[in-house]
Amino acid sequence: MKMFKDHCRQALDSIRGQGRYRVFTPLQKRAEGFPYYLRPDGSRVLVWSANDYLAMGGHPVVIEAACEAARTMGAGAGVTRNISGTSPLHDALEAELADLHGKDAGLIFTSGFVSNQAALSTILNSFPNGPDQPWHVFSDAKNHASMIVGINKHHPEKHIFAHNDLDDLERKLAAADPDAPKLIACESVYSMDGTVAPLRAIGELAEKYGALTYLDEVHAVGLYGPSGAGVAERDGVLGMFDIVEGTFGKAFGLAGGYIAGSQLLVDNIRSHAPGFIFTTSMPPVVAAGALASLGVLKTAHDLRARQQRQARYLRDELSAAGLPVIQTESHIVPLLIGGAHCCKGVADWLFENASIYVQPINYPTVAVGEERLRLTPSPLHTDAMIDELVGALDYLWQQQHLPRQKVA
């Protein structure tokens, strides 16, 4: 036991020494007043790191639906889906998700991490061509940790292709055994870089080489496409992806995850995934809120347009100030700092001197040397708020003589 405690102490000391020890800042989110949060002393701080991209967590329709579910059904489901934890709300939500993504069926999980881990590991635990010929998985180099955990669990033949690099993906597909079962796994919007995958081209490669396709739309669902179904809907390629995974923890403003796909694939995951079978069902409060949020977001064209406008304005203002913003086409605006200590120092200064909260992003979330601030403007972040943020950063860059450079 002493040896283990010494190991823990040394590991934590190492993280602290590298400047990447994670400190949780207690802030109280407010249904009214977003994107301002409250510190423990009651003072306000302007938050730029929330994933409640469209401020749906405070939408009155969502709140009322959740409250009504709590009044009638109680706070929690109290049991797994298989026993008595499936309510009409769960069934209705899964049906709506299937419809949203143009699929036969949907399945909800307690988190986006669990949905990725459970779905991918369950698929890859099967052997379509027998146990002597395992799956070949082609995974984007910047896929989320939840996807990597799900892929790694059953030790398939894994091929990591360079981020969004179609030539590298095709080389790896062409080199694989043509008779082996294949799966291509990617995201639509990558959360730390804000890059967007070339989904149509990936889908065409999958068809050419006979690969199953798995698409993580976590940072896109609610935000892109005529109905908010994500980048695949926006690009008209919903039919090219066999399984779509999403979350309620971002644009929907709640918590939980889901998949949508064919009845056969979804039923197989429902029947075999330990991460689904052996966990308490999503609380009815959350299911009701998610259902209401989905209903709003299907026609929330103004919210989506406003958010995209604010993201463009923020990128333009950071760029005009000569600050190292990474130019992307998505709603995520990364500001490259480089160096964990410096990144944390910038975030700490903003919090203490400008009442602005931005979480520093360090290794292992991003590579060493690519530490950054990840800015996520919502429709409720005004131009004045953006000007305030850029002004504070510009002042800090001047005072600390930080390098001004534009990042491609």
Side-chain angles (χ1 to χ4, degrees):
M1 181 60 74
K2 181 181 184 302
M3 184 182 297
F4 175 67
K5 290 181 178 179
D6 288 343
H7 167 77
C8 292
R9 191 174 296 108
Q10 291 167 8
L12 290 170
D13 287 345
S14 175
I15 293 173
R16 290 189 183 96
Q18 295 170 45
R20 57 185 187 89
Y21 180 75
R22 297 171 189 258
V23 177
F24 296 159
T25 304
L27 296 173
Q28 181 177 321
K29 187 180 180 183
R30 305 287 292 172
E32 295 183 1
F34 182 88
Y36 286 105
Y37 287 43
L38 296 183
R39 293 174 168 143
D41 65 5
S43 61
R44 294 196 313 175
V45 60
L46 180 57
V47 171
W48 284 95
S49 290
N51 283 338
D52 189 356
Y53 293 132
L54 298 177
M56 291 301 295
H59 195 288
V61 171
V62 176
I63 292 173
E64 180 52 37
C67 289
E68 178 59 24
R71 285 190 290 265
T72 57
M73 303 178 68
V79 73
T80 65
R81 288 286 298 275
N82 187 51
I83 301 176
S84 60
T86 297
S87 72
L89 286 171
H90 295 87
D91 285 343
L93 180 55
E94 289 172 341
E96 286 293 322
L97 291 166
D99 179 70
L100 179 70
H101 292 288
K103 305 299 181 187
D104 299 331
L107 189 67
I108 54 178
F109 295 81
T110 51
S111 76
F113 191 105
V114 172
S115 56
N116 266 335
Q117 185 275 331
L120 283 164
S121 66
T122 301
I123 292 168
L124 299 176
N125 193 34
S126 65
F127 298 98
N129 294 353
D132 294 330
Q133 191 174 52
W135 283 87
H136 283 244
V137 179
F138 302 83
S139 177
D140 189 285
K142 293 197 174 182
N143 277 344
H144 191 265
S146 58
M147 300 176 75
I148 295 168
V149 170
I151 290 167
N152 288 347
K153 184 173 182 182
H154 297 293
H155 309 291
E157 293 291 332
K158 187 170 64 173
H159 311 271
I160 308 299
F161 63 92
H163 178 52
N164 279 351
D165 189 327
L166 296 170
D167 291 335
D168 191 37
L169 173 58
E170 181 158 24
R171 279 193 298 271
K172 288 176 167 58
L173 284 164
D177 181 349
D179 296 323
K182 300 176 184 67
L183 181 145
I184 300 173
C186 67
E187 301 180 39
S188 57
V189 176
Y190 288 84
S191 62
M192 292 300 129
D193 295 286
T195 49
V196 179
L199 295 186
R200 182 175 296 278
I202 290 173
E204 289 170 350
L205 286 176
E207 290 178 359
K208 180 177 179 179
Y209 291 95
L212 194 72
T213 45
Y214 186 98
L215 176 62
D216 179 321
E217 289 261 36
V218 159
H219 291 275
V221 69
L223 301 168
Y224 299 89
S227 303
V231 176
E233 182 192 36
R234 184 197 71 179
D235 294 353
V237 295
L238 277 172
M240 288 182 155
F241 290 87
D242 298 295
I243 295 182
V244 176
E245 186 267 349
T247 186
F248 307 116
K250 308 295 191 292
F252 284 90
L254 292 121
Y258 67 88
I259 60 168
S262 71
Q263 184 67 50
L264 182 65
L265 281 173
V266 171
D267 196 22
N268 186 64
I269 293 166
R270 181 188 69 88
S271 301
H272 292 97
F276 175 80
I277 296 170
F278 299 107
T279 192
T280 300
S281 175
M282 174 184 284
V285 169
V286 177
L291 194 57
S293 186
L294 192 156
V296 172
L297 290 181
K298 277 190 171 182
T299 58
H301 312 302
D302 55 336
L303 279 178
R304 286 190 278 274
R306 174 71 179 171
Q307 192 223 22
Q308 290 292 330
R309 189 267 178 194
Q310 296 312 93
R312 287 193 299 271
Y313 182 69
L314 175 57
R315 278 195 302 269
D316 290 346
E317 292 302 297
L318 290 168
S319 183
L323 296 166
V325 60
I326 299 174
Q327 296 293 337
T328 73
E329 62 176 287
S330 75
H331 59 283
I332 294 167
V333 184
L335 190 68
L336 188 64
I337 307 295
H341 290 284
C342 184
C343 191
K344 186 177 185 304
V346 170
D348 288 348
W349 186 91
L350 288 170
F351 189 73
E352 294 164 6
N353 295 280
S355 294
I356 290 172
Y357 177 82
V358 185
Q359 178 64 32
I361 306 297
N362 299 321
Y363 178 84
T365 307
V366 295
V368 173
E370 296 185 9
E371 292 83 4
R372 66 196 58 189
L373 302 181
R374 177 180 174 272
L375 305 170
T376 53
S378 75
L380 301 186
H381 284 86
T382 64
D383 288 2
M385 291 174 183
I386 292 172
D387 294 342
E388 177 187 349
L389 170 65
V390 175
L393 288 166
D394 183 58
Y395 174 81
L396 180 58
W397 252 248
Q398 290 180 30
Q399 294 299 306
Q400 297 299 317
H401 305 289
L402 296 174
R404 291 180 184 267
Q405 57 184 3
K406 294 183 180 180
V407 181

